[in-house]
Amino acid sequence: MRVLLTGSAGFIGSHVAEALAASGHEVRELDPRAGEEAGDVRDPEAVARRLRGVDAVCHQAAMVGLGVDVFDLPAYTGVNVQGTAVLLAEMARAGVRGLVLASSMVVYGEGTYFCDVHGKVRPGPRAERDLQAQRFEPSCPDCGSPLEPGVVQEETGLDPRNVYADTKVAQEHLAASWARMTGGRVAALRYHNVYGPRMPLDTPYAGVAALFRSRLERGEPPLVYEDGRQRRDFVHVRDVAHANVLALESLTDRREGESRAYNIASGTPRSIAEMAHALADVYGGPEPQVTGGYRLGDVRHIVASPERARHELGYTAEVPFASGMAEFANAKAGADR
C-alpha cells in the first residue's frame, strides 16, 4: 500500500515510517523537517502534490503537549485543526478514502470514577484552591464523597481539559464528518503516554517522561508534581507504531463512512512516581523529588482498556515497561533513524 505519512520526521512519526516500511508499505512523507519537497500539512498545494497516487493516509502531524499559556491557542489550532481540515479536503479531492488518525487519551479529560452512593460519575476540572491545599483526588460532583478511579472505554464521553485536548477532539470530529461525507474509513488511535527513543527533550511541550529524562541528563532529580500517585498508562513508541500498521491494514475491512476509535495503551497503569523512580534507577541519576506542585489542566487519573484494539486490530503492547524504560534512559533525544 502507498501511504502518505504526515509528521513523518517527528518522534512517533519516524517510528511509524519504519514500521510501515518493514511491513512492506511504501511511505511518502509530509513534514517540513523531511526536506524541501515534503511540505506542510497546512499547505493545500503541498498536500495535494503528496497525495497523488496514495492509497491511504496516516496522520501524525500535530503540535503536542499541554501548552504553556493562552497565547499558544493560534499555534495549536493552526497546526492541529486547520492542518487536519486541509488534509481531509485534499483527500476528498484526490479520492483517498482511508485514514489512520493519531488522537490522544487527553480527549477523555478525567478518567472514569465510581462513587459508593452515585455509581459511575465524571468529576469536573479540579479547583485551584483544592490543588493549593494538596487535595488532589477528585470528589463526587453530587455528594463530595471520595471516588474510586476506574478504566475508560472508547464509549466514555469526551471531556477535553486543555487546548491540546480541544484540538484532538476537533480532529476526531472533523475526520468523522469527512468519513460520512465521502464514504471514507477512519481509525482514530487514542495514544496514551508514549515514550521511547527519539522523544524530544528540553522543551516545555514535552511529555512527563521526557521532562524527567531531561533533568536526569543534567544531573538533576525528576520533579514529580502533586503527590506522585496520579496514574497513567505508559506505552512504548514501537508498540504505538505497530498499532498504526495494524489500523492501516484494517481499513479495507470496515464499512464506508465509519470512524472507529481505539485506546492504544499497555493495559498496565502506573503512577507518575513509579515511572520517575524506574527511570532514575536505570539512568543512575538522582532520586525523584515529590514537590506537591501542580498544573492547571492536568487530570488526576487516566487509564484505559486496550481491549477493543486487541479484539479488532490484533494489537497487544509487547515492550515490557522495565526494558522500555532502560532503553529510553540510555537513548539519545531525536536520534537519527
Side-chain angles (χ1 to χ4, degrees):
M1 194 182 302
R2 184 177 292 119
V3 182
L4 176 63
L5 174 61
T6 73
S8 57
F11 162 48
I12 296 176
S14 66
H15 286 275
V16 173
E18 291 177 349
L20 288 170
S23 297
H25 300 289
E26 179 184 335
V27 178
R28 184 176 292 175
E29 296 183 306
L30 179 69
D31 191 314
R33 298 164 293 183
E36 293 183 4
E37 296 300 319
D40 189 296
V41 72
R42 293 166 290 184
D43 180 350
E45 292 185 3
V47 173
R49 184 172 60 250
R50 303 301 286 173
L51 278 169
R52 291 183 192 128
V54 160
D55 300 305
V57 173
C58 189
H59 184 31
Q60 305 293 317
M63 187 170 178
V64 300
L66 179 63
V68 174
D69 52 40
V70 70
F71 303 109
D72 282 327
L73 279 166
Y76 273 92
T77 56
V79 175
N80 298 0
V81 181
Q82 179 65 14
T84 299
V86 168
L87 175 66
L88 293 170
E90 295 306 322
M91 287 175 66
R93 288 191 179 94
V96 179
R97 298 290 184 261
L99 174 67
V100 176
L101 172 67
S103 187
S104 170
M105 55 85 175
V106 297
V107 300
Y108 296 116
E110 282 287 354
T112 296
Y113 291 82
F114 295 91
C115 172
D116 287 342
V117 177
H118 294 97
K120 190 174 181 179
V121 296
R122 295 295 299 277
R126 294 178 294 170
E128 187 166 13
R129 64 179 178 274
D130 289 331
L131 299 174
Q132 289 174 341
Q134 308 288 282
R135 293 190 296 266
F136 300 123
E137 293 290 345
S139 57
C140 177
D142 296 316
C143 67
S145 298
L147 298 174
E148 181 68 26
V151 176
V152 295
Q153 310 286 345
E154 288 83 356
E155 294 83 2
T156 300
L158 305 187
D159 187 17
R161 300 290 175 89
N162 56 62
V163 61
Y164 174 60
D166 292 334
T167 63
K168 282 294 165 183
V169 170
Q171 285 184 326
E172 287 200 23
H173 286 170
L174 288 169
S177 294
W178 167 85
R180 289 191 297 270
M181 290 187 289
T182 65
R185 300 174 173 94
V186 179
L189 306 184
R190 293 174 179 167
Y191 302 158
H192 284 250
N193 287 66
V194 186
Y195 74 96
R198 304 182 204 141
M199 194 174 192
L201 309 180
D202 291 320
T203 165
Y205 301 96
V208 64
L211 295 175
F212 290 169
R213 173 67 169 73
S214 294
R215 290 188 62 85
L216 288 167
E217 196 168 67
R218 296 194 298 267
E220 301 169 349
L223 299 180
V224 180
Y225 281 4
E226 303 186 18
D227 57 6
R229 296 176 184 173
Q230 57 271 46
R231 298 193 309 156
R232 299 291 188 271
D233 188 308
F234 296 94
V235 58
H236 196 278
V237 66
R238 284 197 298 275
D239 286 326
V240 170
H242 182 55
N244 275 268
V245 175
L246 294 172
L248 177 77
E249 293 173 347
S250 78
L251 289 175
T252 55
D253 297 330
R254 46 186 84 246
R255 298 188 305 272
E256 291 185 358
E258 181 183 59
S259 182
R260 188 87 163 145
Y262 297 93
N263 289 318
I264 303 303
S266 73
T268 305
R270 301 177 189 276
S271 72
I272 296 292
E274 182 181 359
M275 186 274 288
H277 280 284
L279 190 59
D281 286 348
V282 293
Y283 191 84
E287 284 293 296
Q289 295 179 1
V290 178
T291 69
Y294 60 87
R295 295 190 308 175
L296 288 177
D298 274 347
V299 298
R300 180 62 174 173
H301 304 295
I302 177 66
V303 297
S305 168
E307 181 60 22
R308 177 187 287 181
R310 186 196 67 79
H311 178 69
E312 297 186 12
L313 304 181
Y315 163 80
T316 302
E318 296 181 352
V319 179
F321 178 76
S323 60
M325 280 293 158
E327 180 188 20
F328 176 52
N330 295 292
K332 294 181 179 179
D336 292 336
R337 283 183 257 168

